[in-house]
Amino acid sequence: MHPTPAQPNRAAHDREIESLAEFDEVVAEHGSLARFRVQAVDLTDRTDVLLDVDSTGAVFLGCPMDPEAAAKVRAAGALVFPPVPGLPFDPYRGFVYSPDELFASLDEGYEATPDARAYAWFQQTKADGDVFSSMLRAVHDDAVSDALDELLVGARVVGVMGGHAMARGTQEYAGAARLGRELARAGLTVATGGGPGAMEAANLGAYAAPFDDGMLTEALRLLAKAPGFRPSVTDWAHAAFEVRERWPDGGPSVGIPTWFYGHEPPNAFAAHIAKYFANALREDGLLARSTAGVVFLPGAAGTVQEIFDNATPNYYESRGEPTPMVLVDREHWTRRLPAWPLLQSLARERSMENRIALVDRIEEAPDALKRLGS
């Protein structure tokens, strides 16, 4: 589908070093670190190399290193941004997150996980209005965007949007999972908002893509034991990890959640999680990267906002040719929340008119997406 974090695509980022293996490779190949950017790599065991190699114009972002090595590379003209102690996240990270990383320590309760601790830090520093903390959040989010762009080079990304309230064990949840599975089996990279409900279901479907149909049926049954993330995020997440442990090595997909909605945990079925502090950056980035189109499942205010956040660049063609938009559930989008009539009116006599569709059932969405994209 696309490069994994262990082997990032370096075509557009060939001056970035994001792992110790890449560091050793660059030194062996070039004999120099001049003008390279080294991101969040522990260099405490590479003191001899740093004392010997040319580091003119290099930038070291959050790289632990021996004080003697740090002094030497600074003297050579490198910029050294040291690690920030006491943070529950790395603002200089070189890769997007994994579920195992965000949910580490889940056995001690969700509150002990890095995900929950990052949200607690966000709440505290947001209330304090500390400019240093706001700078760290901005640096983190930019690093995540950079990592996400590297991950998705060459991928055909389809966004699946929908509300967090869709419960496990319902027909709607099962339908969203089958949608994600079909899209992934068609060679598309499924990207969601990374949270619970419809988002989790689509990521689950992509995870289930390599397995036979019985796997998804059984996974849905296991997940129904914990229908939602309330009252216990811990139980909800444990059910997902039980599925992952029973069927390891599922298909990859992307989740793009936010700590802005801290009450919504990320789901464990997205192999790659690009989590942001800034919700506006997250939403725009998710839609902008959905180059193969977007499917909008029934949702509330957040999903309505996403429809028109996506419609605006399609209307003005500010990102080039309009991308397909498929709204699912005629009753929902024409009567409960009548976004479809407005979307039709906006599209009339514009090039996006032939790139929008309304379907009754989830099962119709893949064909509609394919038809609009042809």
Side-chain angles (χ1 to χ4, degrees):
M1 178 189 74
H2 48 245
T4 65
Q7 296 177 310
N9 186 303
R10 303 193 55 79
H13 297 78
D14 58 1
R15 304 300 295 181
E16 295 179 9
I17 298 173
E18 295 155 336
S19 71
L20 198 57
E22 290 176 349
F23 178 88
D24 292 340
E25 180 184 335
V26 166
V27 171
E29 182 177 346
H30 298 279
S32 171
L33 293 171
R35 292 176 295 282
F36 277 87
R37 278 75 176 105
V38 190
Q39 252 179 289
V41 179
D42 189 342
L43 299 175
T44 51
D45 290 334
R46 296 296 186 272
T47 299
D48 290 345
V49 174
L50 293 171
L51 291 176
D52 182 61
V53 74
D54 179 16
S55 53
T56 305
V59 179
F60 296 86
L61 299 169
C63 298
M65 64 179 75
D66 183 88
E68 183 184 7
K72 189 270 180 185
V73 298
R74 283 194 183 98
L79 289 175
V80 178
F81 294 79
V84 181
L87 291 180
F89 63 94
D90 184 351
Y92 302 115
R93 61 181 302 111
F95 305 115
V96 297
Y97 294 94
S98 70
D100 289 335
E101 183 179 2
L102 287 176
F103 283 103
S105 304
L106 181 64
D107 288 342
E108 300 171 29
Y110 173 67
E111 294 73 17
T113 65
D115 185 66
R117 291 189 292 112
Y119 175 62
W121 175 90
F122 179 34
Q123 289 296 95
Q124 178 186 340
T125 57
K126 187 171 64 171
D128 293 344
D130 180 11
V131 66
F132 180 59
S133 297
S134 63
M135 182 199 75
L136 291 174
R137 293 196 295 270
V139 169
H140 168 275
D141 286 0
D142 191 66
V144 166
S145 288
D146 182 70
L148 185 59
D149 285 338
E150 289 186 54
L151 181 73
L152 295 178
V153 169
R156 295 171 59 226
V157 181
V158 59
V160 179
M161 311 299 166
H164 69 266
M166 184 183 287
R168 295 167 172 174
T170 62
Q171 283 188 327
E172 292 79 10
Y173 185 96
R178 288 192 294 271
L179 170 66
R181 185 178 62 180
E182 185 165 348
L183 294 172
R185 286 177 173 175
L188 296 165
T189 297
V190 173
T192 78
M199 297 171 278
E200 181 189 54
N203 287 128
L204 167 65
Y207 187 90
F211 302 100
D212 62 26
D213 292 354
M215 175 270 175
L216 183 56
T217 300
E218 182 63 9
L220 291 169
R221 186 189 67 80
L222 292 172
L223 291 171
K225 296 185 298 184
F229 63 94
R230 295 188 179 98
S232 172
V233 174
T234 304
D235 292 345
W236 175 84
H238 269 306
F241 279 100
E242 181 182 348
V243 170
R244 283 166 44 97
E245 288 164 11
R246 184 164 172 181
W247 293 279
D249 302 319
S253 65
V254 176
I256 308 181
T258 174
W259 280 294
F260 182 81
Y261 297 128
H263 61 287
E264 291 185 20
N267 77 74
F269 293 110
H272 311 296
I273 302 176
K275 191 153 191 178
Y276 289 86
F277 288 105
N279 184 49
L281 183 62
R282 165 253 190 173
E283 286 191 341
D284 184 68
L286 171 55
L287 293 167
R289 291 175 175 88
S290 296
T291 52
V294 184
V295 177
F296 296 91
L297 301 177
T303 311
V304 172
Q305 178 180 340
E306 288 163 346
I307 289 173
F308 293 104
D309 280 347
N310 197 50
T312 300
N314 281 346
Y315 179 89
Y316 289 111
E317 299 186 43
S318 55
R319 294 177 185 148
E321 285 292 315
T323 52
M325 299 177 64
V326 179
L327 278 61
V328 176
D329 191 329
R330 190 176 304 273
E331 173 73 13
H332 187 85
W333 294 121
T334 61
R335 296 182 63 85
R336 293 192 196 98
L337 295 173
W340 174 251
L342 179 53
L343 184 62
Q344 269 190 312
S345 297
L346 283 172
R348 191 168 295 123
E349 297 181 1
R350 302 188 74 88
S351 57
M352 69 179 285
E353 187 172 20
N354 296 321
R355 295 295 180 94
I356 64 172
L358 174 67
V359 298
D360 290 306
R361 298 178 298 112
I362 286 177
E363 290 76 12
E364 300 173 74
D367 284 343
L369 194 67
K370 183 177 180 180
R371 183 178 70 253
L372 297 177
S374 60

